[in-house]
Amino acid sequence: MNSAVMNTYGRLPVAFTRGEGCWLWDEEGNKYLDGLSGIAVCGLGHAHPAISEALCDQANTLIHTSNLYGIPLQSELAEQLTRLSGMENAFFCNSGAEANEAAIKIARLYGHQKGIQTPTIVVAERSFHGRTLATLTATGNRKVQAGFEPLVNGFARVIYNDIEALETIARNNHDVVAVLIEPVQGESGVRPPDADYLAKVRALCNEHDWLMMLDEVQTGIGRTGKMFAFQHDEIVPDVLTLAKGLGNGVPIGTCLANGTAAEVLQPGNHGSTFGGNPLACRAALTVLDTIERESLAERAEALGERILNNLSKALGECEGIVEYRGKGLMIGVELDRPCGELVGNALKKGLLINVANDTTVRLLPPLIMSDEEADQMVDTLAPLITDFCSKDD
């Protein structure tokens, strides 16, 4: 690895030079099945023909101007996203953390416009919202925050999936202006809430005039079986953040707003130099078109069920399994012990996986994965988990 690169990542001993579909090749020509999609980024896999063609065409036409001027592709993307989500308008940036920063700024301005001097945003334990100073403060993981104190004021924390905790906040904190949560907590080990949790959060937000802000940076763009995870619950948030799968590897994030929240930001309140440039918007438009045209959200739901069922069958009575969890192609297998070692073991077998929250094997495969590739992923992974658990017993 290049020693001139800042030492911010614990990297695995492999470097990829080529990708096609659900497969990657390293510098020695070894082939790997991608069960992670660059952490939910490459939903259409690698070197997808539609994305490659669109990017080459756009690069030969116009890559960047500035948000000082109108950007027709940005307007087109905003129209597509609002049509698909039921939201009203969009702010474009480069990442999920930036999208969440925009949401946090909307909440604070919204609070001040209501006359609240110290607006407070409710966030959840075990959440992940990014690594900028405000978003790492919102994140419910002490490891992410450690060493970066003083953190940002203005956040109150509750247990995820505990509506009574949120009701207690409502009774005791009159400075609350918004709730920021993930429809499925990803980094803490793929944790969907109870079926009625988001609807109850929506109702509480309505009752107290709070903004309901959903972080769909990982769950959005077809990953959970719907274009957006909130669409499983027949609700619409006030603020919605997206990134990862939106550009299929081209950096882009967006903060969508609805109702009162859509009117909060005005010229001069917020901005982004690169956000929503023609290249990124062309990529995102192609992603959305491909997902809709090929019904890939529905495919994610069916494929997720297949993988979870086959994993549970293959692992059988394997001791050490705590729980299987998932929604679409966000899949977690929680073990009763730290299992980071499995990432390296899978790599040696030509399979890319991830471990979240130390004890959960996390799978985020491309939405285009075939049944045969999904079965191969399970056939490779299940024996590794069985061997790992039996060795440690």
Side-chain angles (χ1 to χ4, degrees):
M1 298 295 177
N2 188 345
S3 60
V5 175
M6 195 172 286
N7 188 28
T8 56
Y9 301 100
R11 298 179 194 269
L12 292 162
V14 65
F16 300 111
T17 57
R18 184 169 71 87
E20 182 179 338
C22 298
W23 297 89
L24 286 163
W25 283 261
D26 68 16
E27 293 170 304
E28 283 74 42
N30 299 308
K31 186 178 177 183
Y32 301 82
L33 180 58
D34 190 355
L36 193 58
S37 306
I39 314 183
V41 168
C42 299
L44 303 185
H46 305 281
H48 190 284
I51 298 293
S52 300
E53 182 180 348
L55 289 177
C56 289
D57 179 67
Q58 193 60 45
N60 282 319
T61 306
L62 182 66
I63 293 178
H64 179 79
T65 54
S66 164
N67 282 301
L68 290 172
Y69 313 106
I71 301 175
L73 285 169
Q74 190 179 111
S75 299
E76 186 180 344
L77 178 58
E79 288 171 6
Q80 289 293 341
L81 287 169
T82 54
R83 175 183 66 82
L84 290 166
S85 66
M87 306 295 280
E88 286 185 38
N89 57 22
F91 167 79
F92 291 104
C93 50
N94 309 290
S95 68
E98 281 186 76
N100 284 330
E101 285 277 351
I104 290 166
K105 290 180 72 172
I106 287 174
R108 288 193 166 196
L109 266 182
Y110 171 73
H112 285 296
Q113 289 168 1
K114 292 172 60 178
I116 297 173
Q117 298 301 310
T118 54
T120 298
I121 300 169
V122 180
V123 293
E125 298 287 0
R126 302 198 294 194
S127 62
F128 184 85
H129 298 294
R131 294 181 186 274
T132 63
L133 199 53
T135 57
L136 75 83
T137 304
T139 291
N141 182 340
R142 180 60 191 148
K143 288 182 180 178
V144 174
Q145 299 168 339
F148 297 106
E149 299 84 355
L151 302 178
V152 177
N153 293 326
F155 293 93
R157 206 167 299 282
V158 297
I159 300 294
Y160 186 69
N161 198 31
D162 183 346
I163 199 67
E164 290 183 5
L166 204 52
E167 291 170 341
T168 299
I169 290 271
R171 287 194 296 271
N172 296 293
N173 189 333
H174 300 295
D175 288 337
V176 172
V177 296
V179 178
L180 173 63
I181 51 174
E182 300 157 280
V184 178
Q185 289 192 323
E187 297 299 318
S188 66
V190 188
R191 298 180 185 278
D194 292 342
D196 60 351
Y197 177 66
L198 291 181
K200 288 180 176 177
V201 174
R202 176 70 274 181
L204 262 181
C205 288
N206 290 344
E207 181 181 351
H208 296 282
D209 202 22
W210 299 342
L211 299 181
M212 182 181 188
M213 309 200 301
L214 293 182
D215 177 344
E216 292 226 29
V217 168
Q218 187 167 134
T219 56
I221 319 299
R223 172 67 46 188
T224 69
K226 300 281 189 184
M227 185 62 82
F228 310 103
F230 75 80
Q231 292 170 331
H232 290 283
D233 296 270
E234 299 183 350
I235 59 166
V236 178
D238 300 298
V239 178
L240 174 70
T241 58
L242 304 168
K244 288 183 179 292
L246 183 55
N248 208 61
V250 177
I252 183 170
T254 185
C255 177
L256 300 169
N258 201 30
T260 304
E263 301 172 358
V264 170
L265 290 180
Q266 298 298 319
N269 289 148
H270 199 44
S272 170
T273 296
F274 298 106
N277 76 19
L279 188 75
C281 288
R282 183 74 180 273
L285 282 164
T286 307
V287 167
L288 294 178
D289 175 67
T290 304
I291 288 177
E292 274 202 288
R293 184 164 33 82
E294 299 183 6
S295 302
L296 291 179
E298 293 84 349
R299 172 66 180 159
E301 184 169 29
L303 196 57
E305 289 177 6
R306 180 188 184 97
I307 293 170
L308 262 182
N309 288 337
N310 287 344
L311 264 176
S312 62
K313 288 178 185 173
L315 288 168
E317 301 299 320
C318 175
E319 293 185 8
I321 304 293
V322 175
E323 188 178 22
Y324 302 95
R325 294 188 290 266
K327 206 172 186 72
L329 285 177
M330 289 182 73
I331 297 165
V333 180
E334 183 175 358
L335 306 187
D336 62 359
R337 68 205 74 177
C339 58
E341 175 183 326
L342 280 169
V343 175
N345 295 346
L347 186 70
K348 291 174 185 173
K349 296 291 185 181
L351 174 64
L352 306 183
I353 63 167
N354 176 240
V355 165
N357 197 35
D358 294 335
T359 57
T360 302
V361 176
R362 181 171 56 165
L363 299 175
L364 300 162
L367 278 57
I368 60 164
M369 183 170 268
S370 68
D371 288 350
E372 292 74 20
E373 289 167 332
D375 293 346
Q376 182 175 341
M377 183 171 67
V378 171
D379 291 344
T380 304
L381 179 59
L384 292 174
I385 294 176
T386 302
D387 290 347
F388 175 77
C389 290
S390 62
K391 183 176 63 178
D392 284 3
D393 278 341

